[in-house]
Amino acid sequence: MGIRTFFSKIFSPMVYWNLFAMCLVLVGICIGVWIGMEKYTRHGEKIEVPDINGMLLNDAEYALERAGLKAFISDSSYNRNLPAGTILDQFPQKGSLVKSGRSIYLVINARQTPTLPIPDIADNCSLREAEAQLKALGFKIGPIEYVSGDKDWVLALKCKGQNVYAGERVPIDMPVVLVVGTDEVSMDYDTGGWTDEAQTDSMSAGGVLDF
């Protein structure tokens, strides 16, 4: 092939048309990608997130759907003063600007009352210690029940009128009743006699112990 023939083929109209067609295809691909990204990302589109805190779940879902948004339950908590299914929190927060179709993450009030395990309190700590421990764990404490026993010593725990024991789970909205001793002097039930404290008090008062 001569040089003249080679250059004549390179600069032939067919080559130019092929290059032009390739450029058109490349431009078309770029425009298509740009338009697709615009639609996918919804560039420039802004929707204000409505305030759905305090709504029931069905009402919140309807409000979000009307705004072009989606509801997604991400977590649950418990508030005994609100109905089950009430929206407790949302993210993004109300007033935020988002794109349509965005999921709004919701925290709802639990439909079932959570339970907590009873700690090892019975016959293991004083009234003040027991109250502090139960309150810290989130228990509701009912009226104290006093019985014969070591003064201010927790002898047992009750819930709904029944004794409950360490590790047993009870609903957090049910009050736990502390059964507490009220006597200054108590019997030593292991030996069947008076405790050392009782003997000391009796001797200091000049009394005689009759065994």
Side-chain angles (χ1 to χ4, degrees):
M1 178 185 295
I3 295 177
R4 181 177 296 179
T5 305
F6 174 75
F7 280 103
S8 64
K9 288 186 177 181
I10 290 179
F11 295 106
S12 66
M14 182 63 68
V15 173
Y16 288 117
W17 279 112
N18 288 335
L19 290 174
F20 180 70
M22 291 174 62
C23 290
L24 286 179
V25 171
L26 182 60
V27 171
I29 292 175
C30 292
I31 293 175
V33 171
W34 180 75
I35 294 175
M37 290 297 293
E38 285 283 316
K39 290 184 178 181
Y40 180 76
T41 59
R42 297 181 175 89
H43 181 68
E45 181 181 343
K46 300 292 183 181
I47 296 176
E48 184 174 344
V49 178
D51 182 11
I52 54 176
N53 280 324
M55 290 185 180
L56 292 177
L57 180 58
N58 289 340
D59 297 332
E61 289 177 332
Y62 178 70
L64 292 175
E65 184 178 351
R66 289 191 59 186
L69 303 171
K70 299 178 182 178
F72 182 82
I73 300 174
S74 61
D75 200 0
S76 64
S77 186
Y78 182 71
N79 186 329
R80 62 168 57 93
N81 298 318
L82 295 174
T86 300
I87 306 301
L88 301 178
D89 198 7
Q90 65 180 88
F91 180 82
Q93 298 295 328
K94 64 176 181 178
S96 301
L97 297 178
V98 299
K99 295 177 173 59
S100 66
R102 169 72 184 271
S103 292
I104 307 301
Y105 297 92
L106 309 177
V107 178
I108 68 170
N109 201 27
R111 298 186 181 277
Q112 294 183 343
T113 304
T115 60
L116 290 172
I118 292 292
D120 188 11
I121 286 178
D123 202 23
N124 198 34
C125 60
S126 67
L127 172 60
R128 180 178 297 180
E129 294 170 337
E131 287 180 326
Q133 188 172 345
L134 289 173
K135 288 179 180 178
L137 292 173
F139 286 95
K140 184 178 180 181
I141 301 177
I144 298 172
E145 181 179 324
Y146 288 99
V147 297
S148 178
D150 292 339
K151 184 174 177 61
D152 290 335
W153 190 252
V154 178
L155 303 175
L157 283 80
K158 290 184 177 181
C159 184
K160 295 186 288 187
Q162 302 293 325
N163 286 348
V164 289
Y165 304 95
E168 187 174 344
R169 303 188 71 91
V170 300
I172 63 174
D173 60 347
M174 295 300 299
V176 175
V177 175
L178 298 172
V179 181
V180 180
T182 187
D183 297 338
E184 293 287 353
V185 179
S186 63
M187 291 289 291
D188 184 345
Y189 294 103
D190 292 333
T191 63
W194 294 100
T195 61
D196 292 340
E197 181 182 356
Q199 296 179 25
T200 302
D201 292 344
S202 179
M203 293 295 294
S204 62
V208 178
L209 295 175
D210 184 8
F211 296 100

mmCIF file of all heavy atoms in Angstrom, residues 24-54:
data_model
loop_
_atom_site.group_PDB
_atom_site.id
_atom_site.type_symbol
_atom_site.label_atom_id
_atom_site.label_comp_id
_atom_site.label_asym_id
_atom_site.label_seq_id
_atom_site.Cartn_x
_atom_site.Cartn_y
_atom_site.Cartn_z
ATOM 1 N N LEU A 24 -21.493 11.421 18.745
ATOM 2 C CA LEU A 24 -22.922 11.546 19.057
ATOM 3 C C LEU A 24 -23.352 10.531 20.108
ATOM 4 O O LEU A 24 -24.107 10.848 21.034
ATOM 5 C CB LEU A 24 -23.748 11.372 17.778
ATOM 6 C CG LEU A 24 -23.735 12.536 16.770
ATOM 7 C CD1 LEU A 24 -24.580 12.179 15.552
ATOM 8 C CD2 LEU A 24 -24.275 13.810 17.426
ATOM 9 N N VAL A 25 -22.866 9.288 19.957
ATOM 10 C CA VAL A 25 -23.213 8.254 20.940
ATOM 11 C C VAL A 25 -22.682 8.622 22.317
ATOM 12 O O VAL A 25 -23.365 8.485 23.328
ATOM 13 C CB VAL A 25 -22.652 6.888 20.491
ATOM 14 C CG1 VAL A 25 -22.816 5.863 21.616
ATOM 15 C CG2 VAL A 25 -23.364 6.417 19.232
ATOM 16 N N LEU A 26 -21.446 9.107 22.373
ATOM 17 C CA LEU A 26 -20.845 9.484 23.650
ATOM 18 C C LEU A 26 -21.605 10.625 24.316
ATOM 19 O O LEU A 26 -21.878 10.597 25.522
ATOM 20 C CB LEU A 26 -19.390 9.877 23.434
ATOM 21 C CG LEU A 26 -18.589 10.253 24.698
ATOM 22 C CD1 LEU A 26 -18.553 9.073 25.666
ATOM 23 C CD2 LEU A 26 -17.174 10.685 24.325
ATOM 24 N N VAL A 27 -21.973 11.621 23.514
ATOM 25 C CA VAL A 27 -22.758 12.747 24.048
ATOM 26 C C VAL A 27 -24.114 12.261 24.545
ATOM 27 O O VAL A 27 -24.606 12.673 25.608
ATOM 28 C CB VAL A 27 -22.919 13.849 22.981
ATOM 29 C CG1 VAL A 27 -23.914 14.911 23.457
ATOM 30 C CG2 VAL A 27 -21.575 14.492 22.678
ATOM 31 N N GLY A 28 -24.748 11.352 23.796
ATOM 32 C CA GLY A 28 -26.050 10.814 24.207
ATOM 33 C C GLY A 28 -25.964 10.054 25.524
ATOM 34 O O GLY A 28 -26.840 10.174 26.385
ATOM 35 N N ILE A 29 -24.883 9.285 25.674
ATOM 36 C CA ILE A 29 -24.698 8.546 26.934
ATOM 37 C C ILE A 29 -24.528 9.514 28.098
ATOM 38 O O ILE A 29 -25.120 9.336 29.174
ATOM 39 C CB ILE A 29 -23.487 7.602 26.817
ATOM 40 C CG1 ILE A 29 -23.778 6.475 25.833
ATOM 41 C CG2 ILE A 29 -23.139 7.023 28.187
ATOM 42 C CD1 ILE A 29 -22.589 5.576 25.567
ATOM 43 N N CYS A 30 -23.738 10.553 27.911
ATOM 44 C CA CYS A 30 -23.509 11.535 28.985
ATOM 45 C C CYS A 30 -24.808 12.240 29.371
ATOM 46 O O CYS A 30 -25.105 12.432 30.554
ATOM 47 C CB CYS A 30 -22.471 12.562 28.537
ATOM 48 S SG CYS A 30 -20.800 11.877 28.357
ATOM 49 N N ILE A 31 -25.599 12.632 28.354
ATOM 50 C CA ILE A 31 -26.876 13.295 28.640
ATOM 51 C C ILE A 31 -27.829 12.351 29.371
ATOM 52 O O ILE A 31 -28.518 12.730 30.322
ATOM 53 C CB ILE A 31 -27.512 13.812 27.335
ATOM 54 C CG1 ILE A 31 -26.651 14.932 26.744
ATOM 55 C CG2 ILE A 31 -28.929 14.305 27.591
ATOM 56 C CD1 ILE A 31 -27.128 15.422 25.393
ATOM 57 N N GLY A 32 -27.859 11.078 28.939
ATOM 58 C CA GLY A 32 -28.735 10.105 29.598
ATOM 59 C C GLY A 32 -28.354 9.882 31.050
ATOM 60 O O GLY A 32 -29.215 9.812 31.932
ATOM 61 N N VAL A 33 -27.040 9.771 31.331
ATOM 62 C CA VAL A 33 -26.578 9.598 32.702
ATOM 63 C C VAL A 33 -26.933 10.809 33.553
ATOM 64 O O VAL A 33 -27.390 10.697 34.692
ATOM 65 C CB VAL A 33 -25.059 9.328 32.737
ATOM 66 C CG1 VAL A 33 -24.538 9.374 34.175
ATOM 67 C CG2 VAL A 33 -24.743 7.988 32.109
ATOM 68 N N TRP A 34 -26.750 12.006 32.977
ATOM 69 C CA TRP A 34 -27.046 13.241 33.713
ATOM 70 C C TRP A 34 -28.530 13.334 34.058
ATOM 71 O O TRP A 34 -28.911 13.643 35.182
ATOM 72 C CB TRP A 34 -26.616 14.440 32.870
ATOM 73 C CG TRP A 34 -26.894 15.753 33.554
ATOM 74 C CD1 TRP A 34 -26.227 16.310 34.584
ATOM 75 C CD2 TRP A 34 -27.943 16.661 33.214
ATOM 76 N NE1 TRP A 34 -26.783 17.513 34.932
ATOM 77 C CE2 TRP A 34 -27.850 17.757 34.102
ATOM 78 C CE3 TRP A 34 -28.961 16.661 32.250
ATOM 79 C CZ2 TRP A 34 -28.716 18.829 34.061
ATOM 80 C CZ3 TRP A 34 -29.823 17.745 32.198
ATOM 81 C CH2 TRP A 34 -29.701 18.813 33.097
ATOM 82 N N ILE A 35 -29.393 13.021 33.090
ATOM 83 C CA ILE A 35 -30.842 13.067 33.336
ATOM 84 C C ILE A 35 -31.240 12.014 34.373
ATOM 85 O O ILE A 35 -32.044 12.262 35.274
ATOM 86 C CB ILE A 35 -31.625 12.861 32.021
ATOM 87 C CG1 ILE A 35 -31.385 14.046 31.068
ATOM 88 C CG2 ILE A 35 -33.111 12.700 32.299
ATOM 89 C CD1 ILE A 35 -32.018 13.871 29.701
ATOM 90 N N GLY A 36 -30.640 10.806 34.261
ATOM 91 C CA GLY A 36 -30.953 9.757 35.226
ATOM 92 C C GLY A 36 -30.551 10.132 36.642
ATOM 93 O O GLY A 36 -31.285 9.880 37.608
ATOM 94 N N MET A 37 -29.379 10.741 36.794
ATOM 95 C CA MET A 37 -28.930 11.168 38.113
ATOM 96 C C MET A 37 -29.820 12.267 38.677
ATOM 97 O O MET A 37 -30.104 12.318 39.874
ATOM 98 C CB MET A 37 -27.481 11.661 38.035
ATOM 99 C CG MET A 37 -26.468 10.555 37.776
ATOM 100 S SD MET A 37 -26.421 9.326 39.109
ATOM 101 C CE MET A 37 -25.777 10.314 40.442
ATOM 102 N N GLU A 38 -30.273 13.158 37.826
ATOM 103 C CA GLU A 38 -31.176 14.214 38.273
ATOM 104 C C GLU A 38 -32.464 13.622 38.833
ATOM 105 O O GLU A 38 -32.956 14.044 39.880
ATOM 106 C CB GLU A 38 -31.504 15.152 37.110
ATOM 107 C CG GLU A 38 -30.383 16.093 36.735
ATOM 108 C CD GLU A 38 -30.262 17.245 37.717
ATOM 109 O OE1 GLU A 38 -31.294 17.809 38.095
ATOM 110 O OE2 GLU A 38 -29.131 17.564 38.120
ATOM 111 N N LYS A 39 -33.008 12.634 38.115
ATOM 112 C CA LYS A 39 -34.252 12.013 38.579
ATOM 113 C C LYS A 39 -34.016 11.186 39.830
ATOM 114 O O LYS A 39 -34.845 11.158 40.747
ATOM 115 C CB LYS A 39 -34.843 11.145 37.471
ATOM 116 C CG LYS A 39 -35.388 11.940 36.295
ATOM 117 C CD LYS A 39 -36.049 11.026 35.277
ATOM 118 C CE LYS A 39 -36.644 11.839 34.132
ATOM 119 N NZ LYS A 39 -37.312 10.973 33.122
ATOM 120 N N TYR A 40 -32.892 10.468 39.878
ATOM 121 C CA TYR A 40 -32.625 9.585 41.017
ATOM 122 C C TYR A 40 -32.379 10.379 42.292
ATOM 123 O O TYR A 40 -32.873 10.036 43.367
ATOM 124 C CB TYR A 40 -31.420 8.695 40.707
ATOM 125 C CG TYR A 40 -31.062 7.760 41.821
ATOM 126 C CD1 TYR A 40 -31.821 6.604 42.068
ATOM 127 C CD2 TYR A 40 -29.966 8.020 42.648
ATOM 128 C CE1 TYR A 40 -31.491 5.753 43.100
ATOM 129 C CE2 TYR A 40 -29.639 7.165 43.684
ATOM 130 C CZ TYR A 40 -30.401 6.040 43.903
ATOM 131 O OH TYR A 40 -30.072 5.192 44.933
ATOM 132 N N THR A 41 -31.605 11.445 42.184
ATOM 133 C CA THR A 41 -31.271 12.241 43.372
ATOM 134 C C THR A 41 -32.291 13.339 43.647
ATOM 135 O O THR A 41 -32.241 13.986 44.690
ATOM 136 C CB THR A 41 -29.889 12.890 43.208
ATOM 137 O OG1 THR A 41 -29.894 13.738 42.049
ATOM 138 C CG2 THR A 41 -28.811 11.833 43.039
ATOM 139 N N ARG A 42 -33.227 13.563 42.677
ATOM 140 C CA ARG A 42 -34.248 14.607 42.828
ATOM 141 C C ARG A 42 -33.596 15.951 43.169
ATOM 142 O O ARG A 42 -33.939 16.599 44.158
ATOM 143 C CB ARG A 42 -35.272 14.210 43.887
ATOM 144 C CG ARG A 42 -36.055 12.952 43.531
ATOM 145 C CD ARG A 42 -37.074 12.604 44.600
ATOM 146 N NE ARG A 42 -37.893 11.472 44.196
ATOM 147 C CZ ARG A 42 -37.584 10.212 44.442
ATOM 148 N NH1 ARG A 42 -36.472 9.935 45.074
ATOM 149 N NH2 ARG A 42 -38.369 9.238 44.043
ATOM 150 N N HIS A 43 -32.621 16.293 42.369
ATOM 151 C CA HIS A 43 -31.842 17.505 42.602
ATOM 152 C C HIS A 43 -32.753 18.726 42.634
ATOM 153 O O HIS A 43 -33.579 18.943 41.756
ATOM 154 C CB HIS A 43 -30.796 17.667 41.500
ATOM 155 C CG HIS A 43 -29.942 18.875 41.676
ATOM 156 N ND1 HIS A 43 -29.031 18.992 42.702
ATOM 157 C CD2 HIS A 43 -29.881 20.033 40.961
ATOM 158 C CE1 HIS A 43 -28.422 20.157 42.618
ATOM 159 N NE2 HIS A 43 -28.920 20.813 41.568
ATOM 160 N N GLY A 44 -32.589 19.558 43.689
ATOM 161 C CA GLY A 44 -33.356 20.794 43.815
ATOM 162 C C GLY A 44 -34.732 20.606 44.426
ATOM 163 O O GLY A 44 -35.424 21.584 44.702
ATOM 164 N N GLU A 45 -35.160 19.359 44.671
ATOM 165 C CA GLU A 45 -36.487 19.117 45.229
ATOM 166 C C GLU A 45 -36.407 19.085 46.755
ATOM 167 O O GLU A 45 -35.576 18.394 47.332
ATOM 168 C CB GLU A 45 -37.019 17.774 44.722
ATOM 169 C CG GLU A 45 -38.418 17.433 45.229
ATOM 170 C CD GLU A 45 -38.883 16.083 44.709
ATOM 171 O OE1 GLU A 45 -38.283 15.590 43.720
ATOM 172 O OE2 GLU A 45 -39.811 15.525 45.298
ATOM 173 N N LYS A 46 -37.263 19.839 47.425
ATOM 174 C CA LYS A 46 -37.259 19.929 48.878
ATOM 175 C C LYS A 46 -38.680 19.754 49.422
ATOM 176 O O LYS A 46 -39.610 20.385 48.937
ATOM 177 C CB LYS A 46 -36.710 21.279 49.355
ATOM 178 C CG LYS A 46 -35.267 21.563 48.910
ATOM 179 C CD LYS A 46 -34.275 20.635 49.601
ATOM 180 C CE LYS A 46 -32.847 20.982 49.199
ATOM 181 N NZ LYS A 46 -31.855 20.091 49.826
ATOM 182 N N ILE A 47 -38.810 18.883 50.441
ATOM 183 C CA ILE A 47 -40.093 18.679 51.124
ATOM 184 C C ILE A 47 -39.870 18.903 52.607
ATOM 185 O O ILE A 47 -38.907 18.392 53.184
ATOM 186 C CB ILE A 47 -40.642 17.262 50.873
ATOM 187 C CG1 ILE A 47 -40.959 17.069 49.388
ATOM 188 C CG2 ILE A 47 -41.879 17.003 51.721
ATOM 189 C CD1 ILE A 47 -41.416 15.678 49.050
ATOM 190 N N GLU A 48 -40.753 19.659 53.230
ATOM 191 C CA GLU A 48 -40.639 19.914 54.661
ATOM 192 C C GLU A 48 -41.250 18.751 55.445
ATOM 193 O O GLU A 48 -42.387 18.353 55.196
ATOM 194 C CB GLU A 48 -41.339 21.212 55.029
ATOM 195 C CG GLU A 48 -41.173 21.590 56.500
ATOM 196 C CD GLU A 48 -41.748 22.954 56.817
ATOM 197 O OE1 GLU A 48 -41.992 23.728 55.874
ATOM 198 O OE2 GLU A 48 -41.956 23.249 58.008
ATOM 199 N N VAL A 49 -40.496 18.213 56.384
ATOM 200 C CA VAL A 49 -40.962 17.079 57.192
ATOM 201 C C VAL A 49 -42.042 17.562 58.159
ATOM 202 O O VAL A 49 -41.821 18.509 58.917
ATOM 203 C CB VAL A 49 -39.790 16.461 57.984
ATOM 204 C CG1 VAL A 49 -40.301 15.324 58.864
ATOM 205 C CG2 VAL A 49 -38.716 15.960 57.032
ATOM 206 N N PRO A 50 -43.216 16.924 58.140
ATOM 207 C CA PRO A 50 -44.284 17.352 59.053
ATOM 208 C C PRO A 50 -44.015 16.909 60.488
ATOM 209 O O PRO A 50 -43.205 16.007 60.733
ATOM 210 C CB PRO A 50 -45.521 16.645 58.485
ATOM 211 C CG PRO A 50 -44.983 15.429 57.792
ATOM 212 C CD PRO A 50 -43.636 15.837 57.249
ATOM 213 N N ASP A 51 -44.704 17.548 61.432
ATOM 214 C CA ASP A 51 -44.587 17.191 62.845
ATOM 215 C C ASP A 51 -45.569 16.058 63.138
ATOM 216 O O ASP A 51 -46.781 16.252 63.106
ATOM 217 C CB ASP A 51 -44.906 18.409 63.715
ATOM 218 C CG ASP A 51 -44.741 18.103 65.202
ATOM 219 O OD1 ASP A 51 -44.192 17.028 65.530
ATOM 220 O OD2 ASP A 51 -45.154 18.939 66.029
ATOM 221 N N ILE A 52 -45.038 14.864 63.415
ATOM 222 C CA ILE A 52 -45.912 13.716 63.683
ATOM 223 C C ILE A 52 -45.741 13.195 65.111
ATOM 224 O O ILE A 52 -46.333 12.175 65.470
ATOM 225 C CB ILE A 52 -45.642 12.575 62.678
ATOM 226 C CG1 ILE A 52 -44.155 12.202 62.685
ATOM 227 C CG2 ILE A 52 -46.086 12.977 61.285
ATOM 228 C CD1 ILE A 52 -43.832 11.022 61.800
ATOM 229 N N ASN A 53 -44.954 13.884 65.929
ATOM 230 C CA ASN A 53 -44.804 13.471 67.330
ATOM 231 C C ASN A 53 -46.159 13.535 68.035
ATOM 232 O O ASN A 53 -46.890 14.519 67.910
ATOM 233 C CB ASN A 53 -43.810 14.382 68.058
ATOM 234 C CG ASN A 53 -42.379 14.003 67.760
ATOM 235 O OD1 ASN A 53 -42.059 12.829 67.609
ATOM 236 N ND2 ASN A 53 -41.509 14.992 67.652
ATOM 237 N N GLY A 54 -46.464 12.473 68.793
ATOM 238 C CA GLY A 54 -47.729 12.419 69.516
ATOM 239 C C GLY A 54 -48.861 11.801 68.731
ATOM 240 O O GLY A 54 -49.922 11.500 69.297
#
